[in-house]
Amino acid sequence: MHIVGKIREMVEKAVRELGFESVDFVVETPADIANGDYSTNIAMALSKKAGENPKSLSEKILEILKNTSDEDIEKIEIAGPGFINFYLSREFFTNSLGNILEKGEKFGKTKTLSGKKIMVEYTDPNPFKPFHIGHLMSNAIGESISRLIESQGADVVRANYQGDVGLHVAKAIYGLQQKGMPEESLSVSEQAIYIGECYSYGSNEYEDKVEAKEEINKINKAVYEKSDSEINKIYEWGRKVTLEAFESLYDLLGTKFDYYFFEGKVAQKGIDIVRSRKDIFTESDGAIVFHGEKYDPKLHTRVFINSQGLPTYETKEIGLTTEKFETEKDLSQSVVITANEQSDYFKVVSKAIEVMHPEMGQKMKHIAHGMLRFAEGKMSSRKGNIITGESLLRDAKEMVLDKMKDRDITDDEKEEVADIVSVAAIKYSILKQSIGGDIIYDFEKSISFEGDSGPYLQYGVVRINSVLGKAAKVSLDTPTQEVANLERILHRYEEMLANSAEEYAPQKLVNFLVEVVAAYNNFYANNQIISDDEYSPYKVALTKATGIVLTNGLHVLGMKIPKKM
């Protein structure tokens, strides 16, 4: 049993001995480590029911707890208005360190979600459009959430939903027709960038010129119907090029998808479902709508099939969700990650699915993220003045390369390191705060090797690996007499990982790893790790355990560790 569970049991037993039924209370890590390793508010939580002052109640609980012998707990004290603080023993931390070293890369993993199959849909870029910053955010969040719940024993199925039909495709094809096809000598990435430029051109023309709008609408219909051989040829080529370009980005970002779902397939499925359920979807002015407010006053009416007979996002989403549950019949949960701006329509879709298939609706979870912003604010791909996800990765890499120009390593090594570090820099910036909020991206801060950044965490592991390369002996036989703050933090990794997975909150793990690196840097500055004194092997063991925790944690966040920096 984890130490938190053990403390909870001790407290609940003490409360029963006093003649009270248990109440809701917390066992948590105090903000200041001087106030113990764990603290509980049980006396405050129980005081009203007991009709007694929290301080005197905490003293009674403490008396019972002191009679409970446990080698993991060194002392228990009362603080403030009645908090009960627990200080763990030297023996506990030495055993904890041994556990980390023994489990290695498995440390932190549990079987809590064993038997659960969870599909996570994320990234979702559209062929014929640029891979924008929102896709980068969705990828970082989706991959980290996938790895978090995998660490707890879940069978995770990664899915990617892509819009290979729709007005954006018609705009790009129109742009290609007007501007001409790209040179065949261009790389796949360069051809994909050119297609994105043609999309922006077509988008502007659609807004500004009536004749262009009419032509693009015709192309859109032809794409759906596959009725024009020339358009079909451009379509197949553009779809293939952009999807190949996306794959190279997934490889760089460390993601491998199990399923690719496409609008072209699920749209018709959604249309068939919506048209067949006249008890739920109704006709209105030539369109088919869902009256969300009929089922929930917070919802509203949305169009599912427009007056031209074309499906909206909502109908495609119904087709997609149905396809997911038919593809993986034993799903325990279907998680979808999108931008905040899609939240309203997703609530209506979820309600429509819940009305049709209650058991399916109960298994759906939507996670909405904010925007990545720069000094200029949100940029619109429609006008072409966008920093794409690909260009952001490229710019970050160039800045890292510039930072490393005087390092004594080969150019190939610099390229490899720059790829790994730039990805971590961007992922860290995305994952360090709660998922729903907007993020202001700071280039300089993101690639700093010191402080609040992904490279700072990576550099912490590189330094540790350098120390371990020079160390001869690792031993737990002679622990340092005083428990280092570093030890007090390391053992909490299992608890933090489980909590981050349960709450779908990668930012909790990010903040914990920053705390670990800061504690190790302090330990490193105040201790000679490799020396002739008897405690050196233990300090090396502590260094190795820190490396294990950081390596495992960074892997869960989707960040690799370079050999050199």
Side-chain angles (χ1 to χ4, degrees):
M1 181 187 293
H2 194 273
I3 189 65
V4 175
K6 184 184 280 191
I7 291 172
R8 285 195 74 88
E9 275 195 4
M10 289 169 62
V11 171
E12 286 167 351
K13 186 180 176 187
V15 167
R16 286 195 300 272
E17 281 191 36
L18 287 172
F20 300 111
E21 290 181 13
S22 187
V23 293
D24 285 337
F25 66 98
V26 297
V27 176
E28 59 189 358
T29 305
D32 186 350
I33 218 159
N35 291 326
D37 296 291
Y38 290 97
S39 180
T40 180
N41 67 340
I42 182 64
M44 279 78 85
L46 193 62
S47 63
K48 190 173 181 180
K49 183 185 277 192
E52 194 170 340
N53 178 286
K55 192 73 180 273
S56 62
L57 194 56
S58 66
E59 287 168 354
K60 289 179 181 177
I61 295 170
L62 180 63
E63 280 306 307
I64 297 172
L65 290 172
K66 281 186 172 177
N67 292 328
T68 306
S69 175
D70 194 292
E71 63 184 16
D72 287 338
I73 296 170
E74 185 178 275
K75 63 177 179 177
I76 310 171
E77 293 180 346
I78 295 170
F83 288 102
I84 301 174
N85 295 340
F86 296 78
Y87 296 79
L88 303 180
S89 67
R90 165 75 277 172
E91 188 173 359
F92 169 85
F93 289 110
T94 302
N95 291 338
S96 173
L97 200 58
N99 184 39
I100 297 172
L101 296 175
E102 182 184 343
K103 290 185 176 176
E105 65 179 28
K106 293 181 181 177
F107 178 66
K109 293 181 179 180
T110 73
K111 298 291 184 184
T112 307
L113 296 177
S114 182
K116 303 282 187 185
K117 182 182 281 187
I118 301 173
M119 183 178 284
V120 185
E121 178 212 317
Y122 58 102
T123 312
D124 297 358
N126 292 324
F128 295 91
K129 284 180 76 173
F131 188 96
H132 63 63
I133 291 166
H135 301 133
L136 205 53
M137 288 191 72
S138 175
N139 183 274
I141 292 164
E143 185 62 34
S144 64
I145 284 174
S146 296
R147 294 185 185 203
L148 276 168
I149 54 181
E150 263 177 342
S151 76
Q152 304 305 296
D155 177 10
V156 174
V157 183
R158 290 164 171 80
N160 192 340
Y161 174 50
Q162 297 168 101
D164 60 342
V165 291
L167 202 54
H168 69 281
V169 176
K171 289 173 180 177
I173 291 174
Y174 176 84
L176 285 161
Q177 287 178 331
Q178 297 298 310
K179 292 167 70 71
M181 300 297 282
E183 295 289 332
E184 290 184 13
S185 59
L186 294 177
S187 69
V188 168
S189 176
E190 288 168 334
Q191 290 183 55
I193 290 167
Y194 179 75
I195 293 170
E197 290 168 358
C198 289
Y199 158 75
S200 294
Y201 172 83
S203 221
N204 290 332
E205 292 287 289
Y206 188 86
E207 293 291 326
D208 300 336
K209 296 178 182 175
V210 175
E211 62 273 19
K213 184 173 184 176
E214 290 174 356
E215 182 61 29
I216 288 167
N217 284 335
K218 284 181 188 174
I219 294 170
N220 190 31
K221 199 164 186 291
V223 169
Y224 269 104
E225 296 172 351
K226 298 191 185 300
S227 57
D228 185 303
S229 60
E230 187 56 37
I231 287 173
N232 289 347
K233 188 177 175 184
I234 298 172
Y235 173 80
E236 293 299 335
W237 169 83
R239 185 180 186 274
K240 181 174 181 289
V241 166
T242 43
L243 290 177
E244 279 185 24
F246 293 160
E247 284 300 322
S248 64
L249 289 172
Y250 303 148
D251 188 52
L252 179 64
L253 294 166
T255 296
K256 287 184 179 177
F257 291 103
D258 299 292
Y259 290 109
Y260 295 89
F261 295 106
F262 292 98
E263 276 190 30
K265 182 179 179 184
V266 303
Q268 189 57 51
K269 184 186 285 279
I271 290 170
D272 293 343
I273 292 168
V274 169
R275 288 196 183 281
S276 69
R277 295 301 300 261
K278 291 183 170 62
D279 54 327
I280 295 170
F281 302 96
T282 57
E283 195 167 327
S284 175
D285 297 327
I288 297 178
V289 303
F290 174 74
H291 294 287
E293 66 277 6
K294 178 180 171 183
Y295 303 95
D296 184 338
K298 293 177 185 175
L299 301 179
H300 54 280
T301 298
R302 291 189 78 95
V303 174
F304 274 61
I305 297 177
N306 67 22
S307 56
Q308 294 176 295
L310 295 174
T312 59
Y313 283 116
E314 289 82 350
T315 290
K316 294 169 188 173
E317 197 68 49
I318 282 181
L320 170 64
T321 304
T322 307
E323 182 78 9
K324 285 178 178 177
F325 282 92
E326 287 175 356
T327 303
E328 288 285 352
K329 292 182 172 57
D330 54 348
L331 279 184
S332 306
Q333 190 174 46
S334 172
V335 180
V336 180
I337 294 155
T338 72
N340 283 334
E341 57 205 28
Q342 292 171 278
S343 292
D344 285 345
Y345 100 73
F346 206 91
K347 286 173 187 171
V348 177
V349 170
S350 296
K351 179 55 69 175
I353 291 169
E354 186 184 319
V355 173
M356 288 189 289
H357 304 287
E359 73 292 343
M360 196 184 288
Q362 289 165 10
K363 292 179 179 181
M364 293 173 65
K365 181 177 180 62
H366 180 225
I367 297 173
H369 62 77
M371 304 294 293
L372 191 68
R373 299 182 184 275
F374 301 86
E376 296 86 354
K378 183 182 174 183
M379 299 185 187
S380 169
S381 63
R382 189 175 66 77
K383 292 298 181 185
N385 58 342
I386 185 172
I387 296 178
T388 66
E390 189 173 6
S391 69
L392 181 62
L393 284 161
R394 188 169 56 246
D395 291 348
K397 179 179 177 177
E398 285 173 4
M399 291 183 75
V400 173
L401 282 170
D402 186 60
K403 198 177 180 76
M404 294 172 59
K405 65 185 178 209
D406 296 327
R407 299 287 167 101
D408 187 23
I409 57 177
T410 68
D411 288 346
D412 285 347
E413 286 175 324
K414 285 178 184 175
E415 283 285 325
E416 184 183 347
V417 171
D419 276 336
I420 292 170
V421 171
S422 57
V423 167
I426 293 169
K427 284 192 175 188
Y428 179 94
S429 298
I430 292 167
L431 298 175
K432 72 177 180 178
Q433 67 182 50
S434 57
I435 289 169
D438 287 355
I439 295 163
I440 304 297
Y441 185 77
D442 184 322
F443 267 109
E444 287 293 343
K445 196 173 180 181
S446 75
I447 63 162
S448 171
F449 286 15
E450 296 155 12
D452 187 20
S453 74
Y456 169 71
L457 297 180
Q458 291 172 311
Y459 187 66
V461 187
V462 171
R463 169 190 266 182
I464 283 168
N465 289 340
S466 174
V467 171
L468 293 173
K470 299 168 189 169
K473 192 178 179 187
V474 177
S475 173
L476 299 174
D477 292 343
T478 315
T480 51
Q481 293 166 325
E482 190 176 331
V483 176
N485 282 353
L486 177 60
E487 292 178 86
R488 297 188 183 282
I489 294 167
L490 286 182
H491 88 93
R492 286 168 33 217
Y493 175 69
E494 284 179 304
E495 176 191 338
M496 184 58 64
L497 189 62
N499 186 247
S500 298
E502 184 181 359
E503 297 183 18
Y504 293 89
Q507 76 274 7
K508 292 194 169 188
L509 179 58
V510 172
N511 294 329
F512 174 76
L513 296 182
V514 170
E515 192 180 353
V516 170
V517 174
Y520 183 78
N521 288 346
N522 184 265
F523 178 76
Y524 183 84
N526 291 290
N527 290 274
Q528 190 173 350
I529 310 295
I530 302 169
S531 67
D532 293 331
D533 79 49
E534 61 179 323
Y535 303 120
S536 179
Y538 189 84
K539 286 185 279 190
V540 172
L542 186 48
T543 296
K544 186 173 183 179
T546 306
I548 289 169
V549 166
L550 289 172
T551 300
N552 292 0
L554 285 169
H555 172 77
V556 171
L557 295 172
M559 301 181 200
K560 296 178 183 176
I561 297 160
K563 295 184 180 69
K564 302 174 183 178
M565 281 181 79

